[in-house]
Amino acid sequence: MPLKSFDEYVALAAAAHGHMCAGQILGLRLAMHGMKLLGIDDPAGADRKRLVSFVEIDRCATDAIPIVTGCRLGKRALKFRDFGKVAATFCDLRDGRAVRVVAKESSKQRAREMYPEIEDRNAQQMHAYRAMPEDDLFDIQWVRVRLGPEDMPGYKAPRVTCAECAEGINFKREVVRDGRLLCRACAGERYYEPL
Ligand SMILES: [Zn+2]
Ligand SMILES: [Zn+2]
C-alpha cells in the first residue's frame, strides 16, 4: 500500500488543487487502487522510476493522480490523452505490465443512494467516494501500453530543427514530409493559427 494515509493524501491534494472536491477524492482513490493492483508500495519515493501514468481527462480527478503516484508532466512520467474520460492507466516499467482504472458511471447514483440526506452533491459524492468499496467505484482492465524509448523519462537524444519554422524539436517528435524534417505544427497538427 502507498506509504501515506488517505487523509494525508487529501491534505496534499487540497493544497495542490486549491480546494477539496469529489473529483479529488475519486482521483486519489483511483490512483491508490492502481498502485495496489500493481503492487507498487512507494510510487513517489523508492519506486519512482518504475511508473508512468496516463490520464484521460483534464478535470479535478486528474490533479489528484500525481499526489499519489509522483508522476508529473514535467518529468515525462505523466502523459495526457484527451479522451474526456475519468480514467488513468498505470504502467509498471519494472514488471512490464499496466492497468487501466476507469471510474464507473454508476458511482454518482450510488452516492445518492448512500447519502440521500446530504443535499449538496459535491459533499454527497465526497462522502460516498471515500466510503465506497473499490469494486463499486472502478472498473479495471489489464492492458499493454507501447512506450518507445523516446517516451521514457530521462530519454536523451539530439534536438532537431524544423525545416519550416526553425523551432527546436525534442524527443523524436519531428515528422518527415517529402524528405524535410518538420515539427508537428508545420506538418498540419497546429492547434493555433498565427495572426
Ligand atoms: Zn476540484
Ligand atoms: Zn515547424
Side-chain angles (χ1 to χ4, degrees):
M1 280 303 292
L3 289 182
K4 292 183 174 60
S5 71
F6 192 69
D7 284 329
E8 284 177 277
Y9 281 134
V10 167
L12 290 169
H17 181 63
H19 64 248
M20 187 34 63
C21 60
Q24 295 275 294
I25 300 289
L26 195 62
L28 291 173
R29 295 276 322 263
L30 191 151
M32 290 172 82
H33 194 38
M35 295 307 94
K36 194 169 95 177
L37 289 164
L38 290 171
I40 294 181
D41 297 327
D42 189 10
D47 294 323
R48 71 189 182 284
K49 297 207 167 146
R50 215 176 132 179
L51 192 63
V52 167
S53 303
F54 286 76
V55 292
E56 299 185 17
I57 196 165
D58 45 359
R59 285 239 46 211
C60 296
T62 289
D63 268 358
I65 286 171
I67 301 296
V68 175
T69 63
C71 292
R72 291 176 193 287
L73 199 60
K75 289 183 181 166
R76 310 196 74 225
L78 185 70
K79 315 283 189 187
F80 178 42
R81 298 289 183 272
D82 193 356
F83 292 176
K85 295 180 179 181
V86 181
T89 297
F90 305 101
C91 309
D92 182 346
L93 303 175
R94 192 191 77 183
D95 293 354
R97 59 185 192 153
V99 67
R100 183 166 176 270
V101 184
V102 191
K104 281 189 176 179
E105 285 299 313
S106 56
S107 56
K108 282 196 173 83
Q109 177 59 33
R110 189 80 193 90
R112 279 194 285 272
E113 291 163 9
M114 286 172 78
Y115 298 102
E117 70 282 8
I118 305 177
E119 278 185 26
D120 179 74
R121 277 291 147 75
N122 185 53
Q124 183 185 63
Q125 288 163 14
M126 279 176 63
H127 277 83
Y129 297 167
R130 260 179 180 265
M132 277 164 72
E134 283 151 348
D135 290 348
D136 287 351
L137 276 175
F138 306 116
D139 286 317
I140 69 146
Q141 53 184 166
W142 291 94
V143 295
R144 176 177 297 115
V145 179
R146 297 191 190 280
L147 282 169
E150 67 278 9
D151 299 317
M152 294 295 187
Y155 175 77
K156 295 225 176 13
R159 185 213 285 269
V160 301
T161 303
C162 175
E164 189 71 35
C165 69
E167 292 178 0
I169 311 157
N170 297 287
F171 307 133
K172 290 198 170 171
R173 288 339 189 209
E174 67 274 16
V175 295
V176 181
R177 285 288 153 79
D178 302 323
R180 300 168 80 213
L181 276 184
L182 297 179
C183 72
R184 290 172 63 172
C186 292
E189 292 183 49
R190 205 174 261 139
Y191 62 89
Y192 56 90
E193 289 173 52
L195 298 177

